[in-house]
Amino acid sequence: MSPIKQQSVELLQERIKSLRESVDRADALASVQARTIAVLEGSLAMYDERLAEQATQVKIMREAL
């Protein structure tokens, strides 16, 4: 293989390695974001439950007045 072809192959191999590393980082970030979304959804569900309980308590208090 000529030196130019060899150099081209080496550059392409380095680029492929770099792209694979970028994909790995993107996958890791997506995983963290998915876990964050799940935690936020859980927090929002708990908040919704508390609001519903408070609304019921307000309704009961109003009826008592």
Side-chain angles (χ1 to χ4, degrees):
M1 187 179 297
S2 72
I4 293 175
K5 285 185 181 179
Q6 180 65 31
Q7 185 179 14
S8 295
V9 167
E10 289 171 2
L11 289 172
L12 286 171
Q13 287 172 336
E14 287 176 24
R15 182 68 180 139
I16 289 169
K17 180 182 175 187
S18 175
L19 288 171
R20 286 183 176 147
E21 290 169 353
S22 294
V23 168
D24 289 344
R25 285 191 300 272
D27 284 345
L29 178 59
S31 177
V32 168
Q33 289 174 335
R35 288 192 303 268
T36 301
I37 288 170
V39 167
L40 290 173
E41 286 174 339
S43 296
L44 187 58
M46 288 174 33
Y47 181 72
D48 285 345
E49 288 174 18
R50 282 190 232 145
L51 282 177
E53 290 171 5
Q54 289 176 353
T56 301
Q57 290 174 358
V58 167
K59 183 179 175 182
I60 291 169
M61 285 191 250
R62 281 188 180 162
E63 289 172 357
L65 295 175

